[in-house]
Amino acid sequence: MPIHDSKSAAETHLHLHSHLPSDPALRVKALESLAIERGIVTTETLDNWVEAYREHIGPRRGAEVIGKAWADQDFHARLMENAAEAIKELGHEGQATGDLKAVENTDKVHNLVVCTLCSCYPFGILGISPPWYRSAAYRARAVREPRAVLLEFGVNIADDVEVRVWDSTAELRYLVVPQRPKGTDGFSEEMLSKLVTRNSMIGTDRDLRAGEV
Amino acid sequence: MPIHDSKSAAETHLHLHSHLPSDPALRVKALESLAIERGIVTTETLDNWVEAYREHIGPRRGAEVIGKAWADQDFHARLMENAAEAIKELGHEGQATGDLKAVENTDKVHNLVVCTLCSCYPFGILGISPPWYRSAAYRARAVREPRAVLLEFGVNIADDVEVRVWDSTAELRYLVVPQRPKGTDGFSEEMLSKLVTRNSMIGTDRDLRAGEV
Amino acid sequence: MDGIHDLGGKQGFGTVKQQRDFIAFETSWEARMWALSFFVGSPDLTTDRFRHLIELLDPVDYLTHNYFDKWYFSIVTDMVESGIFSDEELKSGRASVSAPPPASLSLAGVLETVRGYSRSAKREIDDAPIYSVGQIVRTQKYGISGHTRLPAYARNRQGDVIAYHGSHVLPDTNVNNVEAPQHLYTIRFAAQELWGPDAAQNDFINIDAWESYLVRA
Amino acid sequence: MDGIHDLGGKQGFGTVKQQRDFIAFETSWEARMWALSFFVGSPDLTTDRFRHLIELLDPVDYLTHNYFDKWYFSIVTDMVESGIFSDEELKSGRASVSAPPPASLSLAGVLETVRGYSRSAKREIDDAPIYSVGQIVRTQKYGISGHTRLPAYARNRQGDVIAYHGSHVLPDTNVNNVEAPQHLYTIRFAAQELWGPDAAQNDFINIDAWESYLVRA
């Protein structure tokens, strides 16, 4: 295997930056044409790929997992034991879920997920990450002042609640299991899943409400 | 004394960035008009200030100090003991020379000056700092890989020569005293000073030559 | 590498700008770039090489480029470095050599393919793990100039092992397509150990760390 | 403050772009800004507040703005924060209230004034210094959120005291116009202590450190 040279790659970056159009839309369009002419991929495949992530692979998948975990104690146990395997029961495995760990909020614990070194995210189960998750401000601050960040998201963590920040440094991805809202006894898995927000599975939302159905 | 609020200042920065023209030439022109109308300074004073740093206060001052130190052993001793006082003998004291330390190159020692936290520089004796000295690349690399940086400046430091990097973290400023070139016996202070380059007093030049007069 | 990407704990970035109604992509080119990223790339483009190429962007480009534009530059730099694409081809969008199209994937085919991406980074190795859950450990004092996944804020700090995950592909070598798996642990640090006594007493920051990132406390 | 300004040891910035024939200013507005900086500024604008205001620039602005443009923003932010200038005045260049011009300085007057700027940051204090030349010391483990002058790369590291400079104004407090002088030392670090065993054995990095930046080794 070749040992790639970081200095050469940095120089290629600079070279390409000065030679290619600055508008990313133009560059990506050219890349697509090139990939098609080279026989790497077809337009139809790319269309379907976009469609898959626009309509099918998104936070509703994660919400279904959470709804099921709230309603089904055995599934909950399997999810906490090995989330990567458990989500396969719903057919929701996918990109970056091969090593998945569920971490659970309680009255005295709040979990928050970040990737300080890039923007690792369990795409297969939560879809495309929201821009704030990839922002320098979130990546910089989530590990240093998680309570201040949470407050900006409207989440006020009481002093006696422990905050656990998970910095996704390896291929392990983290899924926060929020607390089941009060007043949801007898709700079906589907009804429950509708209460789950994307942010609550990352940790920037905490108190879900039954009234949000 | 008021305790200034960093958060408020950061917000003022953002506010001013979004409200003022992006072209610095326009902004500085407006600031000058405002300062004049407010009775803070006159155009003539500003003209003379610029003239002072364009024509009079520059690296030639430092070079005169070095030339004298090479020619005059007693001055050399006073410079090494207390550079801030010694340069007053030539009337070359000024901005950021109130706490000045001279550090001397030898066959076995090379000195290099940087300011990693901002761009501190002994203006009064070397004039306006060159743009490379203020660059992120120089500030980042001078303390981590000084030999690689020096090589980019054409200075190849032998393995058995010690490199001393001076990071100007306090109000102390550093002046490198380069080695007197060979073949300069009997040169006058003035002749000697003409051999001294700006970079040699920062440390990004080392082997000065008699032939450069 | 002590690069601009290592953002954990850095100050001065202001508030987090939230997006209320974010669905998947903000613009259509981002969606195309996302899809393309699954197909374009040299055989050496591991996830770690992909990440390292982003880390090697000029720092200002790193901070100002859109997320998917960083993907673009990572992938095209890989292709140019590998000699597969030329800068002229990237500029024009015209291939110097063409090839027949592959079979297209239907939507169902895409969904099935994506399910197949659920691959673990876990690998079996013979050596037994050095550390065990409950043990106090320290992280390495020094950074590594290439690609590595120990954030600067968590270097030279003491924490306890709260989980063991078997052995996983090592990013430091996988950047050059060599898996060299090592035991992987989750290390918990008290915020006060990372940031000092002003941090909240009951904040904890967890990272996943390979065995070579750790030393005995 | 762990800000973008703390650049020592950061990687990914590429080569140093040299200027062969640099005299004093690259453009005339830079020259005007330099001159203005000696006159415009609130009574609280110490050198340290001036520096801290630059540190508080948005990180991208910090990396992309011209040196003298950072001076501009530091000074006008000070004036706006102090309530002396309004953003409207800065935009228009028209003063809301005017005042008669002060006496002008001739070139000779400027040169004399600049000579007068040769002021030491040294102050007398009663306490004796804790450390002495030749002693091994450690730097503080943690950063400080406000203005401070211990670079991150030199935190939590061991070095020896190679010079004592008397007591000097402390930047951490002088940012708020409080001098609170402390003993100042030069600390020498082996490059290998800062960067690890791959650094050259005979490279040394020296910083000037106030007494509160140090602890016993």
Side-chain angles (χ1 to χ4, degrees):
Chain A
M1 302 289 172
I3 297 295
H4 292 288
D5 175 10
S6 299
K7 200 175 165 197
S8 160
E11 281 162 9
T12 300
H13 271 315
L14 292 175
H15 172 80
L16 292 175
H17 269 79
S18 64
H19 281 72
L20 298 177
S22 61
D23 179 1
L26 287 180
R27 279 186 275 106
V28 171
K29 202 180 161 79
L31 178 63
E32 182 172 336
S33 307
L34 178 58
I36 289 165
E37 281 192 41
R38 281 293 194 93
I40 293 170
V41 68
T42 67
T43 304
E44 191 190 341
T45 298
L46 293 173
D47 290 345
N48 285 325
W49 209 279
V50 169
E51 170 83 358
Y53 278 91
R54 249 199 243 280
E55 303 299 334
H56 302 274
I57 303 168
R60 293 328 310 160
R61 291 191 158 190
E64 284 174 31
V65 172
I66 302 300
K68 188 175 177 68
W70 284 343
D72 176 344
Q73 234 177 340
D74 291 342
F75 179 76
H76 176 270
R78 294 194 296 278
L79 182 71
M80 298 312 295
E81 175 62 28
N82 185 339
E85 284 305 310
I87 64 170
K88 290 182 184 172
E89 299 178 29
L90 294 106
H92 285 352
E93 72 274 23
Q95 201 200 353
T97 69
D99 300 283
L100 187 68
K101 188 173 163 59
V103 292
E104 193 165 25
N105 288 347
T106 69
D107 285 348
K108 294 295 169 207
V109 172
H110 185 77
N111 293 282
L112 182 68
V113 181
V114 63
C115 169
T116 62
L117 294 173
C118 50
S119 313
C120 293
Y121 194 72
F123 299 105
I125 200 160
L126 296 183
I128 305 297
S129 59
W132 62 258
Y133 181 83
R134 324 160 193 155
S135 70
Y138 182 73
R139 289 167 52 193
R141 295 174 59 211
V143 291
R144 186 165 196 145
E145 40 174 5
R147 288 167 199 264
V149 170
L150 286 166
L151 209 52
E152 287 175 21
F153 279 87
V155 179
N156 194 346
I157 304 288
D159 287 351
D160 65 341
V161 171
E162 178 181 323
V163 172
R164 294 181 187 164
V165 181
W166 303 87
D167 187 357
S168 312
T169 52
E171 289 310 314
L172 265 174
R173 296 289 170 274
Y174 291 88
L175 175 72
V176 176
V177 180
Q179 287 181 280
R180 178 171 173 162
K182 289 190 170 53
T184 56
D185 291 355
F187 275 35
S188 68
E189 285 181 21
E190 200 194 331
M191 287 165 72
L192 288 168
S193 80
K194 288 189 175 150
L195 309 179
V196 181
T197 62
R198 177 201 333 247
N199 286 8
S200 72
M201 294 181 282
I202 306 173
T204 52
D205 190 5
R206 179 170 167 86
D207 292 317
L208 301 176
R209 273 188 298 254
E212 284 173 16
V213 179
Chain B
M1 303 289 173
I3 297 293
H4 293 289
D5 175 9
S6 298
K7 201 176 164 196
S8 160
E11 281 163 8
T12 300
H13 271 314
L14 292 176
H15 172 79
L16 293 174
H17 269 81
S18 64
H19 280 73
L20 299 176
S22 61
D23 180 0
L26 287 180
R27 280 187 273 107
V28 171
K29 203 180 161 81
L31 178 63
E32 182 173 336
S33 306
L34 177 58
I36 289 166
E37 282 191 43
R38 281 292 193 94
I40 293 170
V41 67
T42 66
T43 303
E44 191 190 341
T45 297
L46 293 173
D47 290 346
N48 285 326
W49 209 280
V50 169
E51 169 84 358
Y53 277 91
R54 248 198 244 282
E55 304 297 334
H56 301 275
I57 304 169
R60 293 330 308 162
R61 289 191 159 192
E64 284 174 31
V65 171
I66 302 300
K68 188 175 177 68
W70 283 343
D72 176 344
Q73 233 176 344
D74 292 342
F75 178 77
H76 176 270
R78 294 195 295 279
L79 181 71
M80 298 312 296
E81 176 62 29
N82 185 338
E85 284 304 310
I87 64 170
K88 290 182 183 171
E89 298 177 30
L90 294 109
H92 286 351
E93 72 275 22
Q95 201 201 352
T97 70
D99 299 283
L100 187 69
K101 188 171 164 57
V103 292
E104 194 166 23
N105 288 348
T106 69
D107 285 348
K108 294 295 168 208
V109 172
H110 184 76
N111 292 282
L112 181 69
V113 181
V114 64
C115 169
T116 62
L117 294 173
C118 50
S119 313
C120 294
Y121 194 73
F123 299 106
I125 201 162
L126 295 184
I128 304 297
S129 59
W132 62 258
Y133 181 81
R134 323 160 193 156
S135 70
Y138 182 72
R139 290 167 52 194
R141 296 175 57 211
V143 292
R144 185 164 197 147
E145 40 174 6
R147 287 167 200 263
V149 170
L150 285 165
L151 210 51
E152 287 175 21
F153 279 86
V155 179
N156 193 345
I157 304 287
D159 287 351
D160 66 341
V161 171
E162 178 182 323
V163 172
R164 295 182 187 163
V165 181
W166 303 85
D167 187 357
S168 312
T169 52
E171 289 309 315
L172 265 174
R173 295 291 168 273
Y174 291 88
L175 175 72
V176 176
V177 181
Q179 288 182 279
R180 178 171 174 163
K182 289 191 170 51
T184 56
D185 290 354
F187 276 34
S188 68
E189 285 180 21
E190 199 195 330
M191 286 164 72
L192 287 169
S193 79
K194 287 189 175 149
L195 310 179
V196 181
T197 62
R198 177 201 334 249
N199 286 9
S200 73
M201 294 181 281
I202 306 173
T204 51
D205 190 4
R206 179 169 167 88
D207 292 318
L208 302 175
R209 273 187 299 253
E212 284 172 16
V213 179
Chain C
M1 170 187 174
D2 276 328
I4 191 78
H5 69 283
D6 195 351
L7 286 167
K10 294 297 186 292
Q11 299 174 305
F13 282 98
T15 57
V16 179
K17 314 280 174 299
Q18 296 167 47
Q19 295 78 32
R20 294 253 153 241
D21 301 313
F22 176 75
I23 307 296
F25 305 103
E26 295 187 300
T27 62
S28 65
W29 73 260
E30 294 177 50
R32 301 312 280 185
M33 188 59 228
W34 167 263
L36 279 163
S37 73
F38 292 87
F39 299 93
V40 182
S42 79
D44 278 340
L45 190 62
T46 58
T47 307
D48 288 296
R49 179 157 152 80
F50 172 76
R51 290 195 185 112
H52 190 48
L53 287 171
I54 291 179
E55 295 165 5
L56 292 170
L57 278 166
D58 171 84
V60 171
D61 292 333
Y62 186 92
L63 291 177
T64 54
H65 281 12
N66 171 294
Y67 175 70
F68 292 103
D69 206 17
K70 293 190 224 181
W71 287 37
Y72 169 88
F73 278 108
S74 175
I75 287 172
V76 301
T77 294
D78 165 66
M79 293 297 263
V80 169
E81 287 274 304
S82 303
I84 305 174
F85 285 173
S86 71
D87 52 356
E88 208 33 66
E89 288 179 305
L90 290 167
K91 201 169 179 174
S92 65
R94 298 267 178 77
S96 55
V97 285
S98 65
S104 286
L105 284 171
S106 64
L107 178 60
V110 169
L111 291 170
E112 196 49 40
T113 303
V114 170
R115 247 196 300 279
Y117 283 153
S118 176
R119 285 184 291 243
S120 173
K122 209 169 185 170
R123 303 287 184 272
E124 292 302 319
I125 62 172
D126 290 337
D127 300 346
I130 296 178
Y131 307 105
S132 52
V133 171
Q135 198 174 344
I136 309 283
V137 294
R138 274 194 90 73
T139 45
Q140 291 284 0
K141 182 171 175 182
Y142 298 112
I144 280 172
S145 283
H147 180 63
T148 189
R149 298 285 294 181
L150 178 61
Y153 76 81
R155 261 188 234 147
N156 203 16
R157 290 291 193 263
Q158 199 166 286
D160 59 326
V161 178
I162 62 165
Y164 168 65
H165 304 288
S167 52
H168 284 234
V169 172
L170 182 69
D172 309 45
T173 54
N174 198 42
V175 67
N176 281 312
N177 217 342
V178 176
E179 293 199 337
Q182 286 188 3
H183 299 292
L184 182 74
Y185 309 87
T186 301
I187 312 299
R188 174 177 63 179
F189 303 96
Q192 295 192 336
E193 165 71 359
L194 298 179
W195 314 115
D198 292 343
Q201 199 195 300
N202 51 350
D203 283 1
F204 294 88
I205 290 90
N206 305 300
I207 67 164
D208 296 319
W210 283 262
E211 200 159 83
S212 63
Y213 293 7
L214 304 173
V215 295
R216 292 187 187 281
Chain D
M1 170 187 175
D2 275 328
I4 192 78
H5 69 284
D6 195 351
L7 286 167
K10 294 297 185 292
Q11 299 175 304
F13 282 98
T15 56
V16 179
K17 313 283 174 297
Q18 298 166 47
Q19 295 78 33
R20 294 254 153 241
D21 302 312
F22 177 75
I23 307 297
F25 305 103
E26 295 188 302
T27 62
S28 65
W29 72 261
E30 294 177 51
R32 303 310 282 185
M33 188 59 230
W34 167 262
L36 279 162
S37 73
F38 292 87
F39 298 92
V40 182
S42 79
D44 277 340
L45 190 62
T46 58
T47 307
D48 288 296
R49 180 157 153 78
F50 172 76
R51 289 194 186 113
H52 191 48
L53 287 171
I54 291 178
E55 294 165 4
L56 292 170
L57 279 165
D58 170 84
V60 171
D61 292 334
Y62 186 92
L63 291 177
T64 54
H65 281 13
N66 171 295
Y67 175 70
F68 291 102
D69 206 17
K70 293 188 224 181
W71 287 37
Y72 169 87
F73 278 108
S74 175
I75 288 172
V76 301
T77 294
D78 165 67
M79 292 297 264
V80 169
E81 288 273 304
S82 304
I84 305 175
F85 286 171
S86 71
D87 52 356
E88 208 32 67
E89 287 179 306
L90 290 167
K91 202 169 178 174
S92 67
R94 297 267 177 79
S96 55
V97 285
S98 66
S104 287
L105 283 171
S106 65
L107 178 60
V110 168
L111 290 170
E112 195 49 40
T113 302
V114 169
R115 246 195 302 278
Y117 283 152
S118 177
R119 285 184 292 244
S120 174
K122 208 168 186 170
R123 303 288 183 270
E124 292 302 318
I125 61 172
D126 290 337
D127 300 345
I130 295 178
Y131 307 105
S132 53
V133 172
Q135 199 173 343
I136 308 283
V137 293
R138 274 195 90 74
T139 45
Q140 291 284 1
K141 183 171 174 180
Y142 298 112
I144 280 170
S145 283
H147 180 63
T148 189
R149 299 284 293 181
L150 177 61
Y153 75 81
R155 262 188 232 147
N156 202 17
R157 290 292 193 266
Q158 198 166 286
D160 60 324
V161 179
I162 62 165
Y164 168 66
H165 304 288
S167 52
H168 284 234
V169 171
L170 182 69
D172 309 45
T173 53
N174 198 42
V175 67
N176 282 312
N177 217 341
V178 175
E179 293 199 335
Q182 286 188 2
H183 299 292
L184 182 74
Y185 308 87
T186 300
I187 312 299
R188 174 177 62 179
F189 303 97
Q192 295 192 336
E193 165 71 359
L194 298 179
W195 315 115
D198 291 344
Q201 196 195 301
N202 51 351
D203 283 0
F204 294 89
I205 291 89
N206 305 301
I207 67 163
D208 296 319
W210 283 261
E211 201 159 82
S212 63
Y213 293 8
L214 304 173
V215 294
R216 292 188 187 280

